[in-house]
Amino acid sequence: MGQLRDFEQMVPGESVQQLTTENTTLKRRVQQLSQEHRALQERLEGARSNLRFSDKRIAALEAELLEARQR
């Protein structure tokens, strides 16, 4: 995998059917990896959103503590 094939450099005995099968397998793998990538991107965005919320909440609690100490 990871290598481009040149028809002029095909290994003897390698048929068009083998190349078609390999191409189909690679296309399925690309589709699977694309789906996994999208799912991971969504999870990452969710985690970033949670982090932003947590940061805001922590800042609010720190401000509350400072106000309570000044009383």
Side-chain angles (χ1 to χ4, degrees):
M1 287 185 55
Q3 296 178 352
L4 296 176
R5 300 230 178 159
D6 186 356
F7 283 110
E8 294 174 1
Q9 296 177 350
M10 283 178 53
V11 176
E14 216 172 9
S15 69
V16 172
Q17 180 61 38
Q18 287 172 313
L19 292 174
T20 302
T21 301
E22 184 178 355
N23 189 42
T24 301
T25 302
L26 291 172
K27 284 181 180 180
R28 284 186 190 136
R29 183 69 177 137
V30 167
Q31 184 180 23
Q32 178 187 11
L33 291 172
S34 294
Q35 289 172 349
E36 289 175 15
H37 181 262
R38 278 191 298 276
L40 289 171
Q41 286 291 97
E42 289 171 6
R43 287 179 62 192
L44 178 60
E45 183 54 37
R48 286 178 174 160
S49 177
N50 289 340
L51 181 60
R52 283 190 299 271
F53 174 79
S54 296
D55 285 344
K56 289 177 184 177
R57 182 70 178 131
I58 290 169
L61 290 171
E62 287 173 341
E64 245 181 76
L65 281 172
L66 285 175
E67 287 177 17
R69 287 183 186 164
Q70 292 175 358
R71 290 182 196 168

